[in-house]
Every structure is written in C-alpha cells, then in structure tokens.
Amino acid sequence: MEPVTSSSAAGRKRLPAKVMASVAVPSGAKVSAAVLDLESGASAAYGEDTFDTASIVKVDILATLLLRAQDAGRRLTATERAYATKMIENSDNASATALWHAIGRAEGLDAANERFGLSATSGGDGDLWGLTRTTAADQLVLLQQVFGAQSLLSAASRTYVQGLMEGVEADQRWGVSAAAVGSSWALKNGWMPRSATGLWDVNSIGRVTVDGAGLLVAVLSKGTVSQAEGISLVEAAAKAAVAGFASAS
C-alpha cells in the first residue's frame, strides 16, 4: 500500500511505505488503515479507497442517535438503550435496523455526519445500512467524536458509547485490538460476504493503548475469500499501521 501524507496540528509527515509493505494482502483484496494520536492530534492514513462499512456503521448510527437526542434535550429511552447495547456489544442487526429508522435512515446519518465532519461517508440505500460507504480516514473523524474531547457529543454520550465498545462479546474481540499493548481497547467490527462474489468485507475501528498513548485506529478491507482471511489481514494491517505511526512520530 502506498502511504498517504497526513496533516495535523503536529505537522505533516509521510509514513514509511516499507511498514505496510510487510502486510501480505491476498490477491484481489484491498485494505486501508488510518491512525490518530489522541493527545497530539497527529494522524496518517494508508490508502484512499472507499469501502462498505458492514457493521462498523453501528457506531455511527449510535452517535447520530445520541446527537439527535441531545438536540431534543432528552435522554435515550429504555428501548433505545436496549437496542444500542445489542447493536454494539452483540452486533445485532435487527437492533441496528430499528435505530436506523429512528435516526431517519441514510438522510439522518448523512446529516449528522456533515456536522461531525465526515466528508467521504454516505449512508446505504433503504434499509441497507451495511452498504454505507466510507474511508479509513473518515472513520478516524467519527472515532474522534466518540473518544476525543473536541466533540459534538456530550461527555456522558461519549462515555456511554465507549463503554459499549469496551464490552463487545468475546467472539468479536478481534481486529484493531491486535495492535494494543495490554488489554486496554474499545472497538467495533464489521464483516459480511458479498452475495455477488462470495468475497468478504471485514472492517475494524476503535481505540487502543500503546506504550501509554491512546491511539484511534481504523482498518477497512474487501475482497478476501473468507472472514478468517479478512480478520488476519485487518489485524496485520492494524499492527503495521500502529508500528509505522509510532516509528514516524
């Protein structure tokens, strides 16, 4: 993968291509990764491709729901909270569909994302929220709304989403967490086979702690022949991106 120059308050830099070159990308597959240091704001991304979100959009759906609730001066209802828990911790699709309708589907998601600062994300048609299109760099913008202090979401809303992302069920604790040093991480994964090709979209976004630093990491992939191959690719890319980011800092 070719490195993409990043810019931030900490200045501009180019991450070493040799770091991501160590990631074995299966023939026909693509992967993109992005990393941001929560303290300095420095960030960088590899690859500029657009990917289907699959279930990582569930974080965006919840962030949108919380923003709309804040605008209305209300808390989430008990039903909304139940759906949110199942949607994030268990990746329950029926709960995601219920909240997708609650936020106004793609129109509601896109409106919130414009406010959040996402510029390359568009909601899926109809009830196809998993076909929302996004980039790794845009997912960092979303993660900053969840984990950063400069956010449209209140501290209570951010803490709520973070807690759910820390509590994903055991069989979903893969992905960007592979780049963490220790057990401090919060994530949401997404995975789905494409009916037309049988190939998989496998994605992972979240926060990891490395040498005491909080890093936001997003890795998106498409075109692997199985979910397992996609998971291996995402985890290898997350590790390489974090290592390359650290070496360039």
Side-chain angles (χ1 to χ4, degrees):
M1 288 176 289
E2 289 300 316
V4 175
T5 301
S6 67
S7 62
S8 71
R12 297 177 181 271
K13 62 186 177 184
R14 182 174 290 275
L15 296 182
K18 64 181 180 181
V19 173
M20 297 306 285
S22 68
V23 178
V25 181
S27 177
K30 290 187 176 181
V31 66
S32 182
V35 183
L36 181 143
D37 186 312
L38 276 168
E39 182 174 353
S40 70
S43 66
Y46 289 94
E48 298 178 296
D49 289 298
T50 301
F51 297 78
D52 295 318
T53 58
S55 284
I56 61 170
V57 74
K58 292 169 180 174
V59 175
D60 204 356
I61 292 171
L62 180 53
T64 298
L65 180 70
L66 288 164
L67 184 62
R68 289 167 67 95
Q70 288 178 196
D71 289 345
R74 69 172 183 87
R75 297 182 179 182
L76 297 190
T77 66
T79 298
E80 288 171 334
R81 292 178 70 89
Y83 281 142
T85 297
K86 292 179 68 177
M87 179 177 71
I88 302 297
E89 293 188 348
N90 310 114
S91 205
D92 182 71
N93 291 338
S95 295
T97 298
L99 294 183
W100 179 249
H101 282 269
I103 66 170
R105 300 194 294 183
E107 183 178 356
L109 187 84
D110 292 347
N113 281 341
E114 183 175 0
R115 294 170 64 187
F116 288 146
L118 280 69
S119 60
T121 300
S122 57
D125 292 335
D127 282 350
L128 300 177
W129 43 260
L131 296 185
T132 296
R133 301 285 288 170
T134 194
T135 63
D138 242 23
Q139 288 303 296
L140 288 187
V141 177
L142 175 64
L143 290 171
Q144 284 179 281
Q145 292 293 323
V146 174
F147 294 97
Q150 301 300 316
S151 172
L152 296 181
L153 298 178
S154 68
S157 292
R158 297 196 304 273
T159 298
Y160 176 59
V161 183
Q162 292 168 22
L164 294 178
M165 293 176 70
E166 290 168 355
V168 296
E169 64 183 51
D171 64 350
Q172 296 175 26
R173 296 178 183 178
W174 49 264
V176 297
S177 55
V181 176
S183 58
S184 180
W185 51 263
L187 60 75
K188 182 70 192 81
N189 297 323
W191 61 95
M192 66 179 182
R194 301 312 303 271
S195 57
T197 64
L199 300 176
W200 284 75
D201 296 330
V202 181
N203 307 317
S204 184
I205 61 172
R207 186 217 69 231
V208 300
T209 301
V210 178
D211 296 330
L215 301 179
L216 303 180
V217 186
V219 183
L220 311 179
S221 78
K222 58 186 174 183
T224 54
V225 299
S226 67
Q227 181 185 1
E229 184 177 71
I231 291 173
S232 295
L233 174 59
V234 164
E235 292 189 336
K239 290 178 182 178
V242 166
F245 184 80
S247 68
S249 299

